[in-house]
Amino acid sequence: MAESQPTEMSGNLPAEKPHRILVLGAGFGGLYTAVYLDRFLKSRPDVWITVIDRRNYFLFTPMLHSTATGSLEPRYIAHSVRKIFRRTRVHAHIGEVQSIDLKNRIVRTEHRALPFDDLVIALGSETNFYGLESRLENIFTLKSLKDASAINNHLIRMFEKAYWEESPESRRAALTFVVVGGGPTGVELAGEIHEYAHRELLRDFGRRISKEEIRVILVEATGRILPSLPEKLSLEALERLRKIGIEVILEGRLEEYRKGIMQLSGRASVRAETLIWAAGVRTNPLTAALALEKDGQNRIRVKGTLESVSMEHVWVVGDNASCLNPWEGRPYPPTAQTAVRQARTVAQNIAARLLKRPEKIFAHNHVGGFVSIGDNYALLSAKQFTLSGILGWFLWNLVYIHKLPIVRYRLFSTFGLFLKVFFERATTEIDLCPEYEDAPRVASVDRGGPSGG
Ligand SMILES: Cc1cc2nc3c(=O)[nH]c(=O)nc-3n(C[C@H](O)[C@H](O)[C@H](O)COP(=O)(O)OP(=O)(O)OC[C@H]3O[C@@H](n4cnc5c(N)ncnc54)[C@H](O)[C@@H]3O)c2cc1C
């Protein structure tokens, strides 16, 4: 493996002593760090900025559930990294980061080794199963476009299956959709599945399937859904979910899901051919393995400037950073909002150090939160201000659509949004990932055996 920077870079940059900034991850933290670095370092053409990601696109996760339920096309929320950086001097390197050698200051992908002077770590998180891995079979997660299209296809196939199935128990199992995790992702997904099943799929399959046969169950291990929202709003959300017909099980601890049977601790088992796990995240394993000081959740401890407390020139943003909120005395939550704001601060600080200016301390008081609950309904909380209903839903969508990096897709998504209100959603399978054709479920945590379907 050649240890080099891309030689093509030398075409438009001075070859002498470049300062190499490597950004790992082109998600919310990494992508925006590179965008801001390019902006803040205009006066320094000797600085090389390279972003590495295993995917060639930036994924807008807050709208992933809309892709899983037929209301947004996959490409509207997946934007080419190369296109985003086309008019900048940022270089994209599409490859899997395989190792981070902090001592020798080299990052290795399957393609090449890239040395760095400043490193920004923004590799995000992965699903946390809290040790239940070996007891979960053929479940879905919602972290990627593949996951979203697999869920979309599976929902349709379950309706296809129930359409011809004669046994009432098997029909019921096919039409029972369980979402585990009462945080924003779980709540939004349960709401969307409910809407998709009742408003769209039922139209296509209504000749042999009735509304009473469809169950959407949301399971939350604690006594409260949406703990990040003010209590009043989380109670309103609970009421809303129950009102539209979603069964919410609080204090429901999943013990096992095998062969299409869900077992919650101390409760009767439920047959359900769909279980989507949206119950938590843990830091990326590469980050977790680094010899840097970390918190109890393996996130890298950083100073207020977002530089690692144990190593200079190693900066961390987003889900990988353990950065204390000075007002609350606890780390900022792993959200896109935090990642994007940290990206700006980290870029400012790297530029400040190069330009010999004072560095900034990251301090951001959370503006609030949004959560959509299907059926054109969303809750919004911002400081003292709260809003719910269709107005909240419009605002929810407009805020998120406005944040999509590529303007063309903002227009498409706004258009798609209005179409969704007045017309039907798509109920076609997404042939985006052929590997899911034969095994439509996400590579299960335990490949041990088939489920009830
Ligand atoms: C379904 C879903 C819905 C969400 N909804 C919201 C929401 O409504 N509001 C909100 O604020 N937050 C939301 N979040 C959380 C938000 O997505 C994260 O907090 C945010 O993306 C964190 O940014 P990041 O840069 O740390 O990581 P990410 O945005 O996840 O970026 C990490 C990047 O690193 C890349 N990567 C990882 N490992 C490697 C490797 N070994 N080699 C190369 N590349 C690698 C990944 O491909 C990815 O592009 C949601 C998350 C999910 C999954």
Side-chain angles (χ1 to χ4, degrees):
M1 187 190 302
E3 292 200 359
S4 64
Q5 284 285 351
T7 46
E8 60 270 27
M9 278 183 169
S10 50
N12 51 9
L13 291 172
E16 271 175 49
K17 287 196 117 204
H19 185 90
R20 298 150 306 183
I21 305 175
L22 216 49
V23 181
L24 307 187
F28 280 95
L31 184 108
Y32 282 93
T33 299
V35 167
Y36 287 124
L37 280 170
D38 181 57
R39 193 183 296 173
F40 299 147
L41 286 166
K42 285 251 178 293
S43 62
R44 291 290 302 264
D46 58 318
V47 176
W48 292 2
I49 307 164
T50 306
V51 177
I52 307 180
D53 203 292
R54 53 161 75 116
R55 305 186 292 224
N56 89 329
Y57 57 86
F58 161 78
L59 181 64
F60 197 82
T61 50
M63 297 188 113
L64 202 51
H65 62 269
S66 303
T67 298
T69 51
S71 65
L72 267 189
E73 294 304 318
R75 286 208 171 88
Y76 293 176
I77 59 163
H79 300 191
S80 155
V81 170
R82 225 164 261 291
K83 220 178 255 310
I84 292 171
F85 290 126
R86 199 170 51 190
R87 292 198 183 84
T88 71
R89 50 64 186 259
V90 176
H91 287 265
H93 175 83
I94 307 307
E96 177 87 22
V97 175
Q98 293 177 333
S99 68
I100 304 169
D101 180 348
L102 292 174
K103 192 161 158 264
N104 296 305
R105 295 183 171 263
I106 289 176
V107 168
R108 289 189 172 79
T109 69
E110 74 270 43
H111 305 300
R112 57 174 62 231
L114 296 113
F116 62 86
D117 299 300
D118 273 294
L119 180 71
V120 181
I121 302 175
L123 290 170
S125 11
E126 59 171 30
T127 305
N128 192 351
F129 296 101
Y130 303 103
L132 276 175
E133 285 86 335
S134 61
R135 280 178 275 159
L136 302 176
E137 242 176 37
N138 296 318
I139 60 158
F140 292 89
T141 55
L142 184 63
K143 285 288 283 175
S144 65
L145 270 190
K146 277 185 187 171
D147 292 347
S149 45
I151 290 172
N152 176 74
N153 294 354
H154 177 78
L155 295 177
I156 297 165
R157 285 179 191 191
M158 286 300 101
F159 270 76
E160 292 289 356
K161 182 175 180 190
Y163 193 84
W164 293 109
E165 180 62 64
E166 298 293 344
S167 141
E169 293 78 37
S170 300
R171 288 172 69 88
R172 191 87 169 139
L175 295 171
T176 299
F177 306 101
V178 178
V179 177
V180 179
T185 303
V187 167
E188 288 181 343
L189 187 60
E192 286 287 326
I193 290 177
H194 182 272
E195 183 179 343
Y196 191 45
H198 284 85
R199 296 250 306 255
E200 298 304 340
L201 293 168
L202 208 52
R203 278 187 193 148
D204 292 1
F205 295 89
R207 262 191 267 174
R208 284 176 61 98
I209 293 176
S210 75
K211 149 166 150 236
E212 290 69 33
E213 290 179 287
I214 304 169
R215 277 177 93 185
V216 179
I217 304 174
L218 177 68
V219 179
E220 165 55 38
T222 70
R224 179 179 164 190
I225 57 164
L226 299 170
S228 56
L229 289 188
E231 194 168 2
K232 183 173 161 280
L233 276 195
S234 80
L235 283 173
E236 192 178 329
L238 179 65
E239 212 172 281
R240 170 78 194 168
L241 289 169
R242 287 184 167 154
K243 190 170 160 207
I244 60 176
I246 295 176
E247 296 169 43
V248 183
I249 301 177
L250 297 176
E251 311 275 4
R253 292 198 168 270
L254 183 66
E255 280 184 345
E256 190 174 82
Y257 179 74
R258 279 185 208 274
K259 299 191 173 15
I261 297 174
M262 170 176 77
Q263 187 59 60
L264 297 179
S265 153
R267 293 174 196 252
S269 60
V270 175
R271 271 192 75 191
E273 289 205 30
T274 310
L275 187 139
I276 305 167
W277 179 269
V281 291
R282 65 175 171 211
T283 201
N284 185 296
L286 267 178
T287 314
L290 289 175
L292 295 170
E293 192 179 323
K294 295 188 222 80
D295 69 7
Q297 292 179 43
N298 267 331
R299 290 175 299 189
I300 300 168
R301 278 194 208 281
V302 290
K303 304 173 201 161
T305 54
L306 299 170
E307 192 174 33
S308 154
V309 295
S310 18
M311 196 166 203
E312 284 194 349
H313 297 284
V314 174
W315 311 82
V316 194
V317 292
D319 289 7
N320 294 161
S322 178
C323 174
L324 285 189
N325 178 332
W327 291 281
E328 295 176 1
R330 7 179 215 149
Y332 284 95
T335 65
Q337 205 183 114
T338 305
V340 172
R341 283 168 194 270
Q342 288 182 338
R344 189 183 170 91
T345 305
V346 111
Q348 276 171 331
N349 286 342
I350 293 174
R353 193 161 302 170
L354 281 167
L355 303 170
K356 305 206 176 347
R357 291 187 188 147
E359 291 171 24
K360 294 195 173 197
I361 299 292
F362 179 75
H364 153 63
N365 214 356
H366 253 262
V367 185
F370 283 103
V371 65
S372 81
I373 314 186
D375 282 320
N376 305 340
Y377 186 99
L379 292 166
L380 152 70
S381 117
K383 298 200 173 145
Q384 304 303 319
F385 176 71
T386 58
L387 185 68
S388 57
I390 190 152
L391 216 59
W393 181 81
F394 261 107
L395 213 57
W396 182 94
N397 279 287
L398 289 181
V399 166
Y400 279 126
I401 287 173
H402 171 73
K403 288 185 174 163
L404 293 173
I406 293 190
V407 175
R408 189 172 72 246
Y409 290 152
R410 284 189 208 159
L411 297 178
F412 287 159
S413 301
T414 312
F415 189 57
L417 178 76
F418 282 99
L419 286 184
K420 176 182 166 241
V421 176
F422 300 109
F423 299 98
E424 298 179 13
R425 297 182 191 201
T427 53
T428 36
E429 292 183 38
I430 308 170
D431 288 335
L432 193 71
C433 40
E435 66 267 37
Y436 281 95
E437 288 296 300
D438 296 331
R441 294 166 180 219
V442 168
S444 77
V445 182
D446 172 1
R447 288 174 179 271
S451 77

